[in-house]
Amino acid sequence: MSPEMIKAVGEAISTIAWPLIVLYLIVSQKDAVNSILSNLESLTLPGGIEAKLRKTVEKETEAILEGKTGGKTELSERQLVASESVQRISKNSDISVVRDQINNVAREYERIRASMSSGDERTRRMEVVTTKMRTLGLAALPLLEELKASASPGSRLAAIAILQVAPNIDYIE
């Protein structure tokens, strides 16, 4: 084997080795990686796409609920601004990122509904979920038909929340 061939094989191995090591670590430590990723403020992916949705939705929801007065449940200007902010962040990402977020919130609604008895605490937690859905509303607008047609009550609620921030006369019956 020539020195050039040995060098080429060595370079090929070193080029392949580090991605395999990273992949092995991600797979073997998936719980730790999930924990880290779920708490990231932002994640820059190849191509400059930033996935900030989860943290942005949480922060905006807290701000909206802190600013509420008198138990009002109608859509506020603050919720529209929050939804626009999330939409701007999500414009550079794949719709699957938004789909994952809205589906997670829909499942959260269903868990609350199934596990808690009627009462003030359940109502409060469902209000938080609905606010998250509204905050994701403009970003999730392309998913409206999919959510509306779903068998999932949480997904159908998400469709209603989307229509609250982006009214569409075609959906009025």
Side-chain angles (χ1 to χ4, degrees), residues 77-172:
E77 182 66 29
R78 179 70 178 100
Q79 287 176 316
L80 289 173
V81 169
S83 191
E84 290 167 354
S85 173
V86 168
Q87 181 186 34
R88 275 191 303 279
I89 292 168
S90 70
K91 277 198 189 239
N92 295 328
S93 65
D94 188 86
I95 191 67
S96 65
V97 174
V98 176
R99 180 180 284 112
D100 289 346
Q101 290 293 311
I102 203 79
N103 287 335
N104 287 340
V105 178
R107 283 191 297 276
E108 183 181 351
Y109 165 80
E110 291 169 5
R111 277 192 305 273
I112 292 167
R113 188 173 176 217
S115 66
M116 295 182 75
S117 302
S118 296
D120 290 344
E121 180 59 24
R122 179 181 176 199
T123 300
R124 171 82 175 132
R125 297 212 19 220
M126 287 181 158
E127 182 181 350
V128 169
V129 168
T130 306
T131 302
K132 288 179 187 178
M133 289 176 176
R134 285 188 198 116
T135 303
L136 284 162
L138 293 174
L141 190 56
L143 304 172
L144 181 58
E145 279 299 318
E146 174 185 327
L147 295 166
K148 180 186 130 241
S150 175
S152 156
S155 294
R156 290 191 309 271
L157 179 61
I160 292 167
I162 290 168
L163 288 169
Q164 288 177 325
V165 295
N168 183 333
I169 196 150
D170 295 337
Y171 292 91
I172 297 176

Side-chain angles (χ1 to χ4, degrees), residues 37 39-43 51-53 55-56 59:
L37 291 178
N39 290 309
L40 282 179
E41 284 290 331
S42 70
L43 173 64
K52 296 181 180 180
L53 288 180
K55 285 291 185 180
T56 302
K59 285 181 191 176

Side-chain angles (χ1 to χ4, degrees), residues 58-85:
E58 294 292 331
K59 285 181 191 176
E60 295 292 348
T61 298
E62 282 180 33
I64 290 164
L65 294 173
E66 285 175 9
K68 266 182 60 174
T69 56
K72 293 181 181 178
T73 57
E74 66 268 2
L75 185 66
S76 69
E77 182 66 29
R78 179 70 178 100
Q79 287 176 316
L80 289 173
V81 169
S83 191
E84 290 167 354
S85 173

